[in-house]
Amino acid sequence: MAIQFQEDNQLFTINTRHTTYQMKVDRLGFLLHLYYGARISGNMDYLLTYYDRGFSGNPADAGEDRTYSMDALPQEYPHLGTGDYRSTALVVRNADGSEYCDLRYVSHEIKRGKYALKGLPAVYAADDEAQTLEILLEDSVGGLQVRLLYGVLEECDIITRSAKICNLGSEPICVEKAASVCLDFMSGDYDFISFCGRHAMERNFQRARIAHGCQLIGSRRGTSSHQYNPAVILADRQATENAGSCYGMVFVYSGNFLCEAEQDQYGHTRALMGLHSDLFHYPLEKGETLTLPETILCYSAEGFGTLSRRYHQCIREHLCRGKYSRQSRPVLINSWEAAYFDFDGETIYRLAEEAAALGIDMVVMDDGWFGKRDDDNSGLGDWQVNERKLGCTLGELVRRINDIGVRFGIWIEPEMVSEDSDIYRSHPEWAIQIPGRKPVRARNQLVLDFSRKDVRDYIFGAICAVLDQGDISYVKWDMNRSLTDIYSAETVQGKVTYDYMIGVYEFLERLMQRYPDMLIEGCSGGGGRFDAGMLYYTPQIWCSDNTDAIDRLRIQYGTSFFYPVSVVGAHVSAVPNHQTGRSVSLSTRGVVAMAGTFGYELNPEKLSAEEKEEIRAQIARYRKYENLICSGAYYRLSDPFADAYAAWAFVSPDREQVLLNVVMQEIHGNMTVNYVRLNGLDPNARYRDAETGACYYGSALMEAGLPMPVEMGEYRAYQIYLEIIG
Ligand code: GLA
C-alpha cells in the first residue's frame, strides 16, 4: 500500500519506490507537512519545533500558546487568513469583502487507481498501478470546502497533486489565488532551477539560489509561454546531474501559471505551483466547484538525470495518449521553411514526390492553404480551403499525394482570428477584446474567445469539414499569439483565462475522439505552449521555431529536463539557417534532429544528389535506432551552456544498446581533446563500437570516457552505436 494512514498519530505516509511523503493532522486540525524526500521510516513529526513566535500570528484556538504559529509551521495547503504571512496556496474573497479562510481537516479517503480531473489533462494509470488520497478540509464558518487530491504512482516515484475548491456556504465567494501544490521545507538550502527563454530560444537552464524574499516565474500570456516553462526544480545547492537531492514540479496546464519559491524569516523554504493570480478572480456561487490543474511531483536523491528519466517515463506512459503515444511516428516534411506562404497545390505535390523519393512518410501543408492567406495579416478563422490557390480541391490533392505512397498532414490555428477575415467581419464579438477599446495586436491577429461554446462549436464544425475532405493523418495545431484585453461578451469576467483553457482542452478532446487515428502535433510559435497539459492531447510538440542545430542543442537540453525525446518536434532544415544564418553540416543537423520526432523542414529540390543520398541514409539510420531513441533512457552527458561539446545518450532498458551523440561546439588551433564520459551502462559488461569494432568495459566508458576525434571544421557531430558483447 503506497498510502497509509496511522489513526493514533493522525499521520499520512505516502511511499513510492524511492521516496516518502508525510503529513499529519495536528491537535488544532491543521494539515501540516512533515517530510518529502528519499524513502525513510518512522513518524517525522519530531521535526516540528515550537518556540515563542509571538510576533507572528497565533490562531485563536491556540489560546495562550505563542509557540503555535501558522507563520512558522510547515503546511500542506497554506491559505490566507490563518496568520501565515508567507505566499500562500489559496486566497479567497468572501461576500463581505474579507479575504480569509480557515481550513481544517474533516476526513479522508484512500482509493484504488488514480483520480481524473473533469475537463483537465491529468496523469492516468491502471487501477493496480496507482492510488489516490483525497483529504477534505473545511472552513466551518464560511462553508468553503477544499479537497486535496494526491495521486501516487508508486513504481514511477511520482506523486501528483490537485485540489477542488467548493463553495458550500450560502453566499458567493471569489477565488483570487489558487495553487495546486505547496512544498514546505523545514531545513535545507536550495537552488531554484527554471527554464526561461523567448520566441525561437526557449527553455534555457537558469539556476539561482533561493534567498530571503520570493522568486517567482509565471505567465500572464494565456499560454504557458516561451518565457518561462511551467516546470521547475528545487535542488540542493550541491546537486548536480548525477548526484544530490532535487525536487521537480511540473504543472499539467497550458495557460497562466505562477510558481513561487520563498525562503522565510526562519530559513524555511516554500515552493508553490498553481494558477496565476493576475487576470483571475474566479467567482463560485453556492454549490459550485473550481478544479485546479494538477502538478506532477518527483524527487531524486541522485541528481537531475534520475529526476528527468522519471518524468520521461511518467509523461510517455501516463500522460501522452492516443494511438501514437507509444507508436512509431511518421518522418515528415513540412512546407513552412520550404515555401512559407508561397505555394500552390503543385508545390505541395512536388514536395510529396521528393518525400517519396527520399523515404519520408508524410508531407505537411503548413500555413497559407485557407481563406485569404498569402501572408500573416489576414484570413485566420476562415477555415475554407483556398481552391484557387491550390488549383484543385483538398480532397484531390490529398488523393494524389496518397497515391504516391505519401501521407498528408495539415496546419491549423483554431484559436485565432484575423480582423481581415469574413468570420471577424460577421462576429467581432467572438474575438477577445474589451468593448470600446482598441485591442492589442500580435502578428496582426486576435484570439477567439474559446471560453464560449458557440465559438468553439463553429470553429470545430469548420475544421472538421476540412479534415473530412481526405485521408488526413496529421494536424499541426498552432497558436501564434498571447492573450491580451481579457474580456468576454459571454463568460463571467474573472473566469475568462481559466475557462479559455478549459475550452481549448474540450476542443482538443473532441478532435481526438472524432479522429482517433490522427496524430496531432502541438505548436505555439514553436515552443510557446510546450507543457505537460498539451501533451495529454498532442503526443508531440514543435519544440521551437528555431531550427538551427546549434541553438537547438541548448533548447533541446533545457527541454529534456522534464519532457521525453518522443514528444520533441525536431527537423532538419536548410542552411544557411533561416533564423540564425548559420551553416552546419547535414550530418550534424541530422544528429540533432534525431533527438526528437525526426523530420525535415526544407525544399529538397534545392539539394544536391549527394545531399539527397545522405538524407536517405539519415532516415534509414533514424528508423534503425528509433526504438532506442524513443523508449531508451535519456542521459545528458554534458552541459551545452558550459562545455565545449554537447553530448547525450540513449540507453536501452536492459543496458545492452547505447546510442551516443556528440556535437562539438568549439574548434581552436592545436585543439585539445574532449573525453565524453557515458552513463547508465553496465559497468561489468563489455561494449562494442558497431562501426570500428573497438571494445570497452562499461566502467571504462563511464569513468574515463571516450576521446572524441579532433577534426577540422566547426560543429562536427558523432553518433556512436555501442552494443554489449557479454
Ligand atoms: C508558427 C509555427 C511555424 C509555422 C508558422 C506558420 O510560427 O511555429 O512552424 O507553422 O507559425 O504561420
Side-chain angles (χ1 to χ4, degrees), residues 116-184:
L117 299 173
K118 195 164 171 283
L120 280 166
V123 163
Y124 62 87
D127 279 357
D128 58 359
E129 288 175 321
Q131 275 192 306
T132 293
L133 168 63
E134 192 173 314
I135 302 179
L136 178 62
L137 307 175
E138 193 174 273
D139 178 318
S140 59
V141 177
L144 176 75
Q145 279 199 342
V146 173
R147 269 170 219 280
L148 300 182
L149 297 169
Y150 299 77
V152 184
L153 277 68
E154 188 176 353
E155 284 305 306
C156 298
D157 285 312
I158 292 289
I159 299 176
T160 65
R161 290 202 47 188
S162 173
K164 290 183 181 169
I165 299 164
C166 180
N167 178 15
L168 288 184
S170 48
E171 301 283 337
I173 60 165
C174 190
V175 181
E176 300 288 347
K177 180 185 182 191
S180 59
V181 64
C182 170
L183 281 181
D184 268 357

Side-chain angles (χ1 to χ4, degrees), residues 534-549:
M534 285 306 284
L535 289 173
Y536 189 66
Y537 307 92
T538 68
Q540 62 190 53
I541 300 178
W542 183 227
C543 182
S544 176
D545 270 352
N546 187 343
T547 55
D548 175 294

Side-chain angles (χ1 to χ4, degrees), residues 36 41 56-57 83 189 208 214 224 295 298 383 398 478 547 599 650 675:
Y36 184 31
S41 307
S56 281
D189 238 339
C214 196
S224 48
T295 299
C298 185
W383 299 110
V398 175
D478 211 339
T547 55
F650 306 102
Y675 292 82

Side-chain angles (χ1 to χ4, degrees), residues 452-496:
R452 287 176 61 163
K453 186 162 183 323
D454 55 346
V455 175
R456 295 196 304 270
D457 285 350
Y458 172 82
I459 299 291
F460 189 77
I463 283 179
C464 290
V466 171
L467 298 180
D468 290 342
Q469 288 177 32
D471 186 359
I472 298 178
S473 22
Y474 162 106
V475 153
K476 175 173 166 189
W477 175 303
D478 211 339
M479 199 291 186
N480 281 323
R481 69 152 286 180
S482 307
L483 276 62
T484 55
D485 306 274
I486 304 301
Y487 178 88
S488 170
E490 286 286 320
T491 305
V492 176
Q493 311 315 321
K495 284 184 163 188
V496 180

Side-chain angles (χ1 to χ4, degrees), residues 199 336 341 366-367 373 411 443 476 478 480 523-526 542 545 601:
H199 173 239
W336 183 240
F341 290 105
D366 209 280
D367 197 353
R373 184 76 173 166
W411 177 97
R443 217 186 184 212
K476 175 173 166 189
D478 211 339
N480 281 323
C523 178
S524 177
W542 183 227
D545 270 352
E601 187 99 11

Side-chain angles (χ1 to χ4, degrees), residues 100 202 232 264 357 359 420 445 482 501 526 595 609 637 671 691 704 722:
Y100 179 96
E202 300 90 339
V232 298
D264 75 6
D420 184 3
Q445 62 197 55
S482 307
M501 254 350 289
L637 304 176
M671 185 63 185
E691 220 152 290
L722 298 151

Side-chain angles (χ1 to χ4, degrees), residues 398-419:
V398 175
R399 248 189 322 278
R400 274 181 79 200
I401 289 174
N402 288 169
D403 284 349
I404 54 169
V406 176
R407 293 159 69 191
F408 186 85
I410 198 164
W411 177 97
I412 54 174
E413 197 179 1
E415 298 153 77
M416 292 296 147
V417 67
S418 306
E419 286 161 276

